[in-house]
Amino acid sequence: MNNNNYETMFIFKPTLNEDEIKNLLETVSESITKNGGEVVDSQNFGRRKLAYGIKKQREGAYYLVNFKGQSQSISKLEKAYRLNESILRTLIIKR
């Protein structure tokens, strides 16, 4: 199968400390590799004020994860991210 390049922007709850965010990023990476993908890079964009409230939060911690994966696994990843309460929002796009 052919792997495509994807990037995912996450907005995590601002109440998480650095250790919790590190564990959450490991969980995200594990879910990508479990579904046949490979994490290429991740970047921390820091805490920022949201334009509007999401789940009663006014701030969020932004992270960008670049990965390679198969298009069939994207819906599984989106479902797993929606079920995680520490993730306020996520967006996966094909690069």
Side-chain angles (χ1 to χ4, degrees), residues 2 15 30 32 36 39-41 44 49-50 58 61 64 95:
N2 190 11
T15 55
E30 288 173 9
I32 290 171
V39 176
V40 177
D41 184 31
N44 178 358
K49 192 171 190 163
L50 301 173
R58 298 298 295 167
L64 179 71
R95 292 180 53 192

Side-chain angles (χ1 to χ4, degrees), residues 6-19:
Y6 293 96
E7 69 179 25
T8 305
M9 177 63 79
F10 292 98
I11 305 176
F12 298 145
K13 284 187 174 180
T15 55
L16 300 175
N17 63 35
E18 291 300 319
D19 290 334

Side-chain angles (χ1 to χ4, degrees), residues 11 48-60 62 88-89:
I11 305 176
R48 297 178 183 213
K49 192 171 190 163
L50 301 173
Y52 56 90
I54 301 173
K55 298 181 183 177
K56 299 182 181 179
Q57 301 291 325
R58 298 298 295 167
E59 286 186 342
Y62 284 72
L88 297 177
R89 283 282 194 273

Side-chain angles (χ1 to χ4, degrees), residues 33-90:
T33 55
K34 187 175 81 173
N35 286 298
E38 172 192 354
V39 176
V40 177
D41 184 31
S42 64
Q43 298 175 3
N44 178 358
F45 282 84
R47 287 187 162 83
R48 297 178 183 213
K49 192 171 190 163
L50 301 173
Y52 56 90
I54 301 173
K55 298 181 183 177
K56 299 182 181 179
Q57 301 291 325
R58 298 298 295 167
E59 286 186 342
Y62 284 72
Y63 282 84
L64 179 71
V65 177
N66 294 313
F67 68 97
K68 293 182 179 185
Q70 299 174 1
S71 59
Q72 302 93 318
S73 64
I74 298 302
S75 62
K76 294 176 187 175
L77 291 173
E78 288 175 337
K79 183 177 180 182
Y81 299 153
R82 274 195 307 268
L83 294 175
N84 192 323
E85 293 181 4
S86 297
I87 300 174
L88 297 177
R89 283 282 194 273
T90 184

